[in-house]
Amino acid sequence: MPPSSPAARTVKADYVIVGGGTAGSVIASRLTEDPDVSVVVIEGGPTDIDRDDVLTLRRWLGLLGGDLDYGYTTTEQPRGNSHILHSRAKVLGGCSSHNTLISFKPLPSDWDEWEAAGATGWGAAKMDPYFGKLRNNIVRVAKKDQNAIATDWVEAVKTALDVPEVVGFNDQPFDEGVGFFDLSYHPENNKRSSASVAYLHPHIEAGDRPHLTLLLETWVHKLELDGTRATGVRATTKDGEELFVEAGREVLLCAGAVDTPRLLMLSGIGPKKDLEALGIDCVLDLPGVGENLIDHPESVIVWETNGPLPGNSAMDSDAGLFIKRDANHKGPDLMFHFYQIPFTDNPERLGYERPEHGVSMTPNIPKSRARGRLYLTSADPEVKPALDFKYFEDDEDYDGKTLVDGIKLARKVAEAEPFKKWLKREVFPGPEVTDDAEISELVRKAAHTVYHPAGTCKMGAKDDELAVVDPQLKIRGLSHIRIADASVFPTMPAVNPMLGVLMVGEKCAELLQEAPAQGGDA
């Protein structure tokens, strides 16, 4: 199909990848291993090369809310926090250039849950080999970065909660455990081993992939279709030039759980009633687009310490804890990150003061039962979509009760040595807050996200009306187009999902390499 505007310049490639983030970087690198395959990657942000603010892992907090952050917000959350900034990265490497690079291989129970939800071929046995293909430098927090208070916290958790220490969370599956995380980083200089660093930088620097084109600071605003076949995308460069980027084989949507469904709906693919209400012609009624919005909600407990903390750290949240409260639950059902900083953004909004020196534990819900929705409020591509996570609106208040349990367990840890000797007082919620209902209200109001939105174009079986892609990642009802990012997650892994997204990218690349002649026909 020709470009919609006669003034648009045409760029052609075999594959057009929308989004140079976590999965997009993997797919671009893998496809261009074949010198006869051409790939164009369209990324809304700039390069991360020579950006020390991006490449230095410990500077991650400074990226939140900055010029490399799309800064999505949430709709009113009656039972949660309506003031959360949902940071999404606007830079090559995507959120792997923006986050803490905590690196967990999804647990076998996570993958098997996907398969049970209709993602045939995505069970643990089939997915485990993709972990071994990852190019990232995945290592445990280095000894030099294991500071004294985090080390003492690990010891106190073992004593207070009777959980084992885990040395190498990716070595074998676990239900419970405490220890220093595995990170995708280079300990010798604290530099990231993000998707872009691991998969793209070597080829950019060597200049050995002339058939790989990166269009940076370029925004895709519409898919082009010829009937049900995806032929390319319309995009605008930072200079305002209109492009038609034509895909000879397939279009691959890797823009993430917010911008992939957003692009589909702007292109007339999604819930017909909603699109037509905004004046968008519906070319494919696909009701699941934007539904099943999932996340890892968490809250916080903050302590003031007796004085300054040790200065050595990988990224100030170097250790964590997993608990299994329900013996019948598959995998852990409560998690904590241990922050060697007072994480008080939301408590401050509630009137609490940030201590000069402090630490935090963040009770986190590995398998939240909330299911939200992402939707457009305007046909204007410049208008951000609405994100309604429906935090803590599950019928049985499972999520709210999980946070209350978390605060109680954290307080036990605070009473155990050798961690106790570091602490001066509990700042938030405060030692006087002991009633379950009061704890629940406060920690829900102070809740935040770990920046793990997913599920908005979920993968599923043919009889699942809300499934957007099939187990080959092809969009239902269209051809020559697939999705590979966190939006395809049917359910949320219990662990931080970055490696899961990388593995989705590896599997997508393999699917494309195995069947190039099929051109993605549905």
Side-chain angles (χ1 to χ4, degrees), residues 360-424:
S360 318
M361 282 177 68
T362 55
N364 174 290
I365 308 163
K367 296 287 186 180
S368 168
R369 295 187 183 174
R371 291 294 181 270
R373 178 173 174 252
L374 179 152
Y375 56 94
L376 299 183
T377 61
S378 170
D380 182 353
E382 297 291 325
V383 177
K384 293 179 180 180
L387 279 64
D388 181 4
F389 285 88
K390 299 191 184 301
Y391 288 132
F392 310 108
E393 292 186 35
D394 56 295
D395 292 341
E396 297 176 0
D397 193 29
Y398 170 86
D399 286 12
K401 291 174 181 175
T402 299
L403 293 189
V404 172
D405 286 351
I407 296 297
K408 292 178 176 179
L409 291 173
R411 285 172 169 168
K412 287 185 178 181
V413 175
E415 289 299 316
E417 295 291 3
F419 181 50
K420 182 179 180 179
K421 71 175 186 285
W422 292 87
L423 305 181
K424 183 177 180 179

Side-chain angles (χ1 to χ4, degrees), residues 257-287:
V258 175
D259 283 306
T260 286
R262 177 189 191 181
L263 176 59
L264 288 174
M265 289 187 281
L266 287 169
S267 304
I269 301 162
K272 182 177 181 179
K273 183 179 178 181
D274 293 354
L275 298 180
E276 290 182 343
L278 295 173
I280 299 173
D281 291 335
C282 182
V283 299
L284 177 63
D285 184 10
L286 206 54

Side-chain angles (χ1 to χ4, degrees), residues 103-108 128 131 138-140 165-174 180-182 499:
S103 297
F104 286 101
K105 177 171 63 173
L107 298 170
D128 193 62
F131 175 74
I138 302 168
V139 293
R140 189 170 183 247
E165 182 174 359
V166 176
V167 179
F169 276 105
N170 289 311
D171 292 350
Q172 61 187 23
F174 59 89
F180 285 93
F181 292 130
D182 284 6
L499 291 195

Side-chain angles (χ1 to χ4, degrees), residues 36 43 96 172 203 207 214 273 318 347 380-381 392 421 428 520:
D36 295 325
E43 165 57 41
S96 71
Q172 61 187 23
H203 306 298
L214 300 180
K273 183 179 178 181
D318 299 332
D380 182 353
F392 310 108
K421 71 175 186 285
F428 178 84

